[in-house]
Amino acid sequence: MVLPQKTASAPGKVLLTGGYLVLDRDYTGLVFGLDARIHVHVKPLSTSSGVTLSEIIVKSPQFVAATWDYGYRLAECDGGFEVTQLRAYISTLVGPHIEPAVTTILADNDYYSQLHPEARSESKFIDFGVPLWEAHKTGLGSSAALVTAFTAALLVHYLPLDLFALNTDVGKRRLHNLAQAAHCAAQGKVGSGFDVASAVYGSCRYRRFSPSVLQSLVEPGSSHFSTQLKCIVEEEGDGHKWDMEISKSAVRVPKGIRLVMCDVSCGSQTPGMVKKVLAWRQAKQDEASDIWETLQGRNEELAVELVRLAETGDKTYQGLRKSIENVRALIREMSELSGVPIEPASQTKLLDACSEVPGVIGGVVPGAGGFDAVALLVEDKEEVVQELQRLLDEWQVSGLAGDAGRVRMLGVREEMEGVRTEDATMYGSWVE
């Protein structure tokens, strides 16, 4: 049987509030999906009659020389397929033989800064004209979106609807669990998972899963890996229950308001910043605990105000502006106490200037903070965006090493929907 071509896409993300807090199950993060998506298209690999291959080709045609050929084989002792966890899960459902395939990855343009873009007239995707390792990412969550879209595309390609349906609650939960396992394996650590959760479910309030769910998983190729992974994904047996909390109703974007993301071209070293903040929290437990608890309360107040505005249709935004200012004040205090530039002075200056533009309600340095991005909530009016653009065109930001960076408004906004299947005809020659 020839398997059908299938395509899935997943959104980017921005952690508006809850940076650092989201690492701890006692706290939550307010994460918005973004309408910049990673797309993954899968089709059968054509072979000559009588020729059998165990190969999956992965292509990223927006970049130079970005094609990878992967062979795979069934490991002994229920070890799954050696190459990726993903095929190990599929093999437990459809058997040891997996048809060869060609997988094409495409990124919406705002995932990367465009130095010399060359657009194809029939497609919305850009040929970036550089090798992948030379591309400058804009920090929209490309790795989590890629893993989620890649996982979803392979599952809908290889599995019949009675085994996996992406548009069901059960399907999304299993996708979430498998994508979290794959993303943690790729990163070499068990992270908070907010980015994968947003890629699957879209905008949400997120409380992380207990790390123990994945910490017991043996290495791919090890004895019983395949069965163990299936139990974790499908939450079978003791210790395999995922306890994350994902609330869609706690996140609303009121009509008349939109999210604006700005990329700053001098970036931050996020892992180093996280390590330093956590070291401060360990050394100054009472001091940090007070900040954490108060900040959680202020983050919740901001979320509640967004929901109130959405439900009432109120167009007065003083309460929302005050909520944003309250969050920022505590972030600056955390920056000072920890010695980590979560909201550095240059970003404070930028955010304050943006907030003076008529129609800009306020903004934050999202996620772990630093020098590489700001997120703004603004009135959804063209004149507001244009005035903000005029400010940013003239703005320069100084990085930690004194280097100057430009600020670029990205063409993205909030996205409530998570992962979804797509019509393959929209990709044109990119997937031929």
Side-chain angles (χ1 to χ4, degrees):
M1 181 184 71
V2 178
L3 295 172
Q5 298 186 41
K6 293 289 184 177
T7 307
S9 73
K13 55 73 187 168
V14 57
L15 185 62
L16 193 71
T17 66
Y20 300 100
L21 276 68
V22 77
L23 297 169
D24 190 323
R25 262 190 59 77
D26 289 337
Y27 307 97
T28 61
L30 191 66
V31 54
F32 282 91
L34 299 172
D35 63 357
R37 287 178 167 264
I38 299 289
H39 307 252
V40 177
H41 174 269
V42 184
K43 66 179 181 180
L45 175 60
S46 299
T47 62
S48 301
S49 177
V51 175
T52 301
L53 296 177
S54 295
E55 183 178 16
I56 287 184
I57 297 173
V58 178
K59 302 191 296 183
S60 187
Q62 291 167 286
F63 300 97
V64 174
T67 299
W68 300 269
D69 295 343
Y70 294 102
Y72 52 90
R73 68 180 185 87
L74 190 65
E76 297 177 352
C77 302
D78 190 35
F81 274 105
E82 292 185 335
V83 174
T84 68
Q85 298 186 54
L86 184 56
R87 285 191 286 281
Y89 176 68
I90 292 171
S91 71
T92 66
L93 301 180
V94 298
H97 181 64
I98 293 179
E99 296 293 333
V102 178
T103 303
T104 303
I105 301 166
L106 294 167
D108 283 354
N109 300 329
D110 281 298
Y111 277 101
Y112 297 91
S113 295
Q114 300 154 29
L115 299 178
H116 304 290
E118 297 178 4
R120 294 191 185 184
S121 59
E122 78 276 14
S123 174
K124 69 172 185 170
F125 302 104
I126 281 179
D127 185 339
F128 293 103
V130 297
L132 183 58
W133 59 87
E134 292 183 11
H136 173 67
K137 296 201 294 185
T138 54
L140 301 184
S142 58
S143 64
L146 170 59
V147 168
T148 300
F150 197 97
T151 304
L154 288 181
L155 290 178
V156 297
H157 174 70
Y158 282 113
L159 300 183
L161 280 174
D162 61 326
L163 292 179
F164 179 79
L166 184 59
N167 61 349
T168 65
D169 291 341
V170 171
K172 279 192 170 61
R173 188 171 179 99
R174 289 184 178 175
L175 170 64
H176 167 272
N177 299 350
L178 183 55
Q180 291 283 16
H183 194 237
C184 290
Q187 292 193 320
K189 63 178 181 179
V190 179
S192 70
F194 79 88
D195 43 6
V196 170
S198 179
V200 175
Y201 292 100
S203 300
C204 62
R205 183 183 65 200
Y206 176 76
R207 188 185 305 276
R208 70 159 303 154
F209 60 88
S210 298
S212 58
V213 175
L214 289 177
Q215 286 173 340
S216 62
L217 182 62
V218 299
E219 289 295 312
S222 301
S223 295
H224 308 300
F225 166 78
S226 188
T227 297
Q228 187 182 4
L229 178 64
K230 183 175 184 291
C231 289
I232 288 173
V233 170
E234 300 184 358
E235 302 182 79
E236 299 171 348
D238 295 337
H240 296 150
K241 181 69 176 176
W242 290 73
D243 54 0
M244 70 283 177
E245 296 175 15
I246 298 169
S247 173
K248 295 282 292 176
S249 62
V251 178
R252 300 283 295 277
V253 178
K255 187 176 181 180
I257 292 179
R258 63 161 294 183
L259 182 75
V260 170
M261 291 295 299
C262 300
D263 173 47
V264 183
S265 61
C266 50
S268 310
Q269 297 296 323
T270 299
M273 293 174 62
V274 172
K275 196 171 292 185
K276 289 178 181 177
V277 169
L278 295 182
W280 161 71
R281 188 185 182 200
Q282 181 64 33
K284 304 283 187 178
Q285 294 184 18
D286 291 341
E287 179 179 83
S289 181
D290 288 344
I291 295 284
W292 249 248
E293 292 293 335
T294 307
L295 185 55
Q296 173 70 17
R298 293 185 182 181
N299 292 344
E300 290 175 355
E301 289 170 3
L302 192 156
V304 167
E305 179 63 9
L306 283 170
V307 172
R308 186 193 72 80
L309 290 171
E311 291 179 345
T312 64
D314 187 358
K315 300 299 182 184
T316 56
Y317 303 130
Q318 292 92 334
L320 181 57
R321 177 184 284 266
K322 183 63 176 175
S323 293
I324 294 171
E325 290 173 350
N326 288 342
V327 169
R328 283 186 58 202
L330 212 55
I331 291 294
R332 289 193 297 272
E333 185 177 349
M334 188 192 298
S335 295
E336 183 177 350
L337 293 173
S338 65
V340 178
I342 304 170
E343 187 186 298
S346 59
Q347 296 286 63
T348 297
K349 185 177 178 182
L350 172 60
L351 286 169
D352 288 348
C354 290
S355 298
E356 292 300 316
V357 173
V360 175
I361 301 164
V364 298
V365 183
F371 297 91
D372 55 4
V374 296
L376 304 167
L377 290 173
V378 309
E379 294 183 39
D380 193 7
K381 300 175 181 177
E382 186 61 32
E383 59 267 29
V384 175
V385 175
Q386 290 175 353
E387 189 63 30
L388 182 60
Q389 184 66 69
R390 281 191 282 270
L391 170 71
L392 298 178
D393 285 343
E394 303 299 324
W395 199 270
Q396 282 195 338
V397 174
S398 297
L400 192 60
D403 50 325
R406 305 295 300 183
V407 183
R408 182 171 71 96
M409 187 188 304
L410 301 177
V412 301
R413 60 182 299 159
E414 72 285 347
E415 168 71 276
M416 301 307 293
E417 185 181 10
V419 67
R420 67 189 183 212
T421 56
E422 300 282 3
D423 180 358
T425 61
M426 70 182 284
Y427 304 106
S429 62
W430 289 104
V431 297
E432 292 178 356

